[in-house]
Amino acid sequence: MNQLQLFLPCAAGVEDYLAPEVLRITGLPPGCITKQRGGVAVRTSLAQAMLLNLHSRLAQRVLVLLSYTEYRGEQDLYRAASEVAWERWFTPRESIKVEITAQHSPLASLNFAALKIKDAVCDRFRAVANGVRPDVNTQWPDVRIYAHLTTDSCSLYIDTSGEPLFKRGWREDKGDAPLKETLAAAMLAASGWLEGDADLLP
């Protein structure tokens, strides 16, 4: 786990602001980071992933890429998920939830695709943990697994954040139309305001 491929999803259009924030938090050189649609990819350590969870104001989550494969059908997704060493990341005593997103996927049902990935995770644990498998909890899972499908590729991630990052220090009160903290931070970044500028206000 010394070098991990992370993906930090963000709101559309925030990638240009998230990328320098990631570099500032991690101290990594620019060559370690890649802006993608809807987020930023960076190769770094698990310790840096925890720093990003703690300090990023713009990312929605910090995901670790565990598998990237091509697929044609649901059985390919099952095979890809079966080959991931999930046991390195959690135990069968922890509950899971599989969430799936897609861009132009040819599959008829994303719910069925998520079910096949869940089956693969559970079947792998049955094989390596003496028949014990994790339970599914769709409300408050211990572990969140994300799958992203394109027309022909499947990326499998494990979430290191738990709840969305905008819920850190979750507000005690809110107005009629509350603004997500990550989006508010993006608006400040887009304005050019920097920490410490408050000292210059009248």
Side-chain angles (χ1 to χ4, degrees):
M1 296 186 186
N2 291 332
Q3 282 292 306
L4 303 173
Q5 183 68 46
L6 307 181
F7 182 70
L8 285 70
C10 64
V14 179
E15 302 90 344
D16 287 340
Y17 307 107
L18 176 57
E21 181 192 63
V22 170
L23 295 178
R24 186 171 64 253
I25 292 170
T26 61
L28 293 169
C32 293
I33 196 167
T34 305
K35 287 185 289 185
Q36 299 179 3
R37 179 181 177 184
V40 167
V42 58
R43 182 169 292 279
T44 187
S45 65
L46 184 59
Q48 295 280 33
M50 295 301 104
L51 278 178
L52 290 165
N53 273 301
L54 185 62
H55 295 295
S56 177
R57 295 178 180 272
L58 303 176
Q60 296 169 343
R61 296 181 178 277
V62 180
L63 308 176
V64 179
L65 178 65
L66 300 183
S67 172
Y68 179 82
T69 59
E70 294 184 350
Y71 79 100
R72 290 190 176 182
E74 291 86 357
Q75 197 58 33
D76 296 323
L77 303 181
Y78 179 94
R79 187 179 305 108
S82 297
E83 293 172 355
V84 174
W86 302 105
E87 64 275 9
R88 294 181 59 195
W89 295 91
F90 60 96
T91 73
R93 294 187 299 275
E94 295 165 283
S95 61
I96 63 171
K97 179 182 180 180
V98 177
E99 299 191 35
I100 194 163
T101 59
Q103 291 177 320
H104 310 296
S105 172
L107 300 182
S109 171
L110 294 183
N111 288 334
F112 184 62
L115 180 64
K116 295 298 289 184
I117 293 170
K118 183 271 295 181
D119 288 345
V121 175
C122 293
D123 289 348
R124 180 174 177 102
F125 271 104
R126 283 194 184 98
V128 302
N130 298 319
V132 182
R133 50 149 285 183
D135 291 328
V136 173
N137 186 329
T138 60
Q139 295 298 317
W140 303 107
D142 298 313
V143 177
R144 297 174 189 267
I145 296 167
Y146 287 87
H148 180 68
L149 308 179
T150 67
T151 53
D152 58 2
S153 68
C154 170
S155 301
L156 295 175
Y157 302 92
I158 192 165
D159 179 24
T160 67
S161 303
E163 285 291 294
L165 292 182
F166 73 85
K167 290 189 176 182
R168 289 169 301 185
W170 190 235
R171 62 176 78 93
E172 295 182 2
D173 194 13
K174 58 182 183 293
D176 292 335
L179 188 66
K180 286 184 179 179
E181 285 80 348
T182 47
L183 184 55
M187 293 170 66
L188 288 174
S191 75
W193 186 89
L194 299 174
E195 289 188 33
D197 283 356
D199 298 335
L200 303 178
L201 295 176

